Amino acid sequence: MWGSFIGDCWEEQSLKWFWLEECLDGDNLLVSASHEAILRRVAETVLSRAKVHLSTKVTSIRSITTEGVDPIVQVRAEDSRFEFDEVVITVPLGCLKREEPIVIPPMPPNLRQAIMNASYGSLEKVYISFPVDFWTETTCRGQSCDIEARATKSSSSTFIHFLQPQYVPRHQKSWKIEAVFLPSLGERDGQAQAALLFYLYGPCATYVTSLVRGLLPTSTEYFERLVGFFRPYYGRLPNYSADRPDCVPTAVLATDWQNDDWAGNGSYTNFKVSEHIQHSEGEVMLDEGIRTMRFGIPGRGIWFAGEHTAPFVALGTSTGAYWSGESTAVRILAANGLLQETSR
């Protein structure tokens, strides 16, 4: 469970910086339908009051500073150039590690080191939909069901863990895999979906994504390869029978963040034990590194936001990414003497 939480093999994580991974006390809420309405609401102000350039790859961000004059920040794309007073860089941590976009002049050494010291996870998700949620008691439809499985199942279950199962085919390794029952998450709002959400990380995630790389998600081969991998897992759920139409998947979709350049080839920040991390002044303090990224380069008009700059309680989460944007906006207003005026 910890591996799917941090998006990497837990054996490689730093126990010393374990507290940076413990975030968002309380219920971990999931949206049972989709994030469409949330994203539309968040983007509403931007789309109505700003000029948005889509499909425009930024290649470099250059600060032009002159003594006694406010800095000018030039943002260069592949076929255009823009000038701003302030720029907020929100690209994923994985992109910053590759120096994409290039920052000119180079980032201060402590900022560059902070970016390299934080590690980047490899969480992947696979959604598998069915005609009905056959694994609950209410969908047996009078057919013969596994009485023992039904008796041991809790109606409030939301998660299931497969701990290195030995019932997978010989050619397929038995990895730890976590699944979420989406129907149990939508009972209150009527958005329940007959689907399973599988969480993958590490070598397992790399293997599963390799099965369908280059295939169209709408293709038969894509469907059959993913269903073939996960059938030994969902086939262990209560009421499953290979002969029942209700137990045959209707759709499947997998993420592939680790091979997506725009996602920084990963998922979100975590903190591994890294023997290669060196610091000329002594011990590396990863929490100070987060603060350094959070601070940005205000003297050059460059700021950072994203889950890797979030408050410690929300590092690595979409909530943290949102909070970081708010915090950065407040700091920009304060730096320009506009905070008091804005708060009235």
Side-chain angles (χ1 to χ4, degrees), residues 10-325:
W10 63 267
E11 296 92 339
E12 299 177 1
Q13 299 303 301
S14 169
L15 182 59
K16 177 176 181 178
W17 300 106
F18 183 84
W19 64 275
L20 288 176
E21 309 281 10
E22 292 190 298
C23 58
L24 294 178
D25 292 337
D27 292 337
N28 189 6
L29 303 179
L30 296 178
V31 177
S32 54
S34 77
H35 288 79
E36 181 181 0
I38 297 173
L39 294 175
R40 187 167 56 246
R41 176 66 183 87
V42 171
E44 188 176 282
T45 301
V46 175
L47 293 177
S48 64
R49 301 179 61 180
K51 183 181 294 185
V52 180
H53 296 265
L54 301 176
S55 301
T56 304
K57 181 181 179 180
V58 173
T59 57
S60 67
I61 298 175
R62 179 188 297 270
S63 296
I64 301 175
T65 57
T66 305
E67 187 174 353
V69 180
D70 291 337
I72 296 174
V73 186
Q74 292 182 344
V75 176
R76 185 177 294 275
E78 291 177 318
D79 56 359
S80 54
R81 188 179 69 180
F82 310 91
E83 287 191 355
F84 302 96
D85 299 321
E86 315 274 355
V87 167
V88 182
I89 300 176
T90 64
V91 300
L93 177 65
C95 293
L96 294 178
K97 285 178 171 292
R98 298 197 308 261
E99 297 190 66
E100 295 179 354
I102 299 172
V103 176
I104 307 170
M107 298 181 191
N110 64 330
L111 175 57
R112 183 64 192 153
Q113 191 63 53
I115 290 171
M116 298 309 296
N117 286 349
S119 46
Y120 203 47
S122 58
L123 183 75
E124 302 288 356
K125 299 178 180 179
V126 178
Y127 297 83
I128 303 181
S129 298
F130 296 87
V132 296
D133 49 327
F134 65 84
W135 50 90
T136 67
E137 296 108 336
T138 58
T139 57
C140 280
R141 297 184 176 182
Q143 301 182 41
S144 174
C145 297
D146 187 331
I147 297 177
E148 182 180 354
R150 288 197 300 164
T152 57
K153 178 192 172 296
S154 169
S155 60
S156 61
S157 296
T158 57
F159 294 90
I160 186 171
H161 299 275
F162 300 92
L163 303 177
Q164 294 183 311
Q166 301 303 309
Y167 43 79
V168 298
R170 289 186 177 181
H171 68 275
Q172 182 174 310
K173 292 185 178 180
S174 55
W175 286 291
K176 299 180 181 71
I177 290 179
E178 175 185 334
V180 178
F181 299 131
L182 293 188
S184 64
L185 303 175
E187 294 172 352
R188 294 183 180 180
D189 58 12
Q191 296 290 336
Q193 301 182 52
L196 297 172
L197 169 55
F198 287 90
Y199 285 79
L200 316 174
Y201 60 92
C204 179
T206 300
Y207 176 77
V208 171
T209 55
S210 71
L211 290 176
V212 293
R213 188 154 308 127
L215 300 178
L216 291 175
T218 55
S219 68
T220 300
E221 188 175 4
Y222 180 98
F223 179 89
E224 290 179 346
R225 287 192 179 187
L226 288 178
V227 168
F229 178 87
F230 287 100
R231 187 180 294 113
Y233 295 92
Y234 67 72
R236 307 293 292 186
L237 295 179
N239 311 329
Y240 176 81
S241 173
D243 299 328
R244 288 184 58 198
D246 287 347
C247 300
V248 178
T250 56
V252 60
L253 183 64
T255 62
D256 192 8
W257 302 123
Q258 56 192 290
N259 293 287
D260 187 336
D261 291 340
W262 303 110
N265 301 108
S267 50
Y268 46 79
T269 305
N270 59 35
F271 302 92
K272 292 184 180 180
V273 174
S274 299
E275 295 180 358
H276 67 276
I277 292 180
Q278 300 293 332
H279 197 288
S280 59
E281 298 180 2
E283 184 179 7
V284 173
M285 306 300 288
L286 295 181
D287 54 344
E288 290 302 321
I290 297 298
R291 291 190 177 96
T292 298
M293 287 191 280
R294 193 183 296 160
F295 184 75
I297 322 173
R300 288 164 47 181
I302 294 178
W303 309 78
F304 293 88
E307 54 84 15
H308 48 287
T309 67
F312 292 141
V313 73
L315 281 171
T317 69
S318 55
T319 300
Y322 185 86
W323 284 349
S324 76

Side-chain angles (χ1 to χ4, degrees), residues 321-344:
Y322 185 86
W323 284 349
S324 76
E326 289 185 326
S327 299
T328 301
V330 168
R331 290 199 296 274
I332 292 174
L333 291 172
N336 288 276
L338 300 173
L339 187 59
Q340 185 175 359
E341 176 184 343
T342 304
S343 63
R344 284 204 295 264

